[in-house]
Amino acid sequence: MVDSDFRRRSQRSRKWLAFAVLLLALAAAVWVWHATANRRAPDPHRGEMYQRTLESVRSTCLPPKAGVESYCRDQALLLLEFPECDPSCVALARKIRGEPTR
């Protein structure tokens, strides 16, 4: 009788443990899916926005002009958020933001 009760409780505990592990795995999968959503589905207008921002930074911020420093720093930071920002773009953004290039 004691063995029977122990087995039932043991089986019930294993089922709950399996359910909890499954629930944690599902929560982790949803979190990963949500965290990578921006990289999976690129915005069709992102490339155009990157090009416009890059041209705006080049025309407005090079050479540096008085009164637009804050705008230029913000735009340079925005450029760094684009996956299209290649090493020359990164160097440009760092130069505008006053960061060391090496």
Side-chain angles (χ1 to χ4, degrees):
M1 186 86 159
V2 173
D3 252 357
S4 173
D5 283 344
F6 179 75
R7 283 186 188 145
R8 268 186 275 152
R9 277 185 275 156
S10 179
Q11 286 176 346
R12 195 176 317 137
S13 294
R14 276 187 253 146
K15 287 179 183 178
W16 277 107
L17 181 61
F19 177 73
V21 168
L22 181 64
L23 193 59
L24 283 173
L26 180 62
V30 167
W31 180 79
V32 167
W33 178 81
H34 181 68
T36 60
N38 287 341
R39 286 179 267 167
R40 269 196 327 274
D43 182 355
H45 303 290
R46 188 182 69 211
E48 295 170 18
M49 186 175 167
Y50 167 73
Q51 287 299 323
R52 281 195 310 269
T53 305
L54 183 60
E55 289 306 314
S56 173
V57 165
R58 286 180 178 155
S59 65
T60 306
C61 305
L62 292 178
K65 296 173 181 74
V68 294
E69 296 88 359
S70 178
Y71 168 80
C72 290
R73 281 192 302 272
D74 290 345
Q75 292 300 298
L77 188 59
L78 176 62
L79 278 176
L80 294 172
E81 294 294 320
F82 286 99
E84 294 88 350
C85 190
D86 60 11
S88 65
C89 167
V90 171
L92 172 66
R94 286 185 175 165
K95 178 180 177 183
I96 290 170
R97 296 187 70 227
E99 296 177 13
T101 55
R102 278 193 157 285

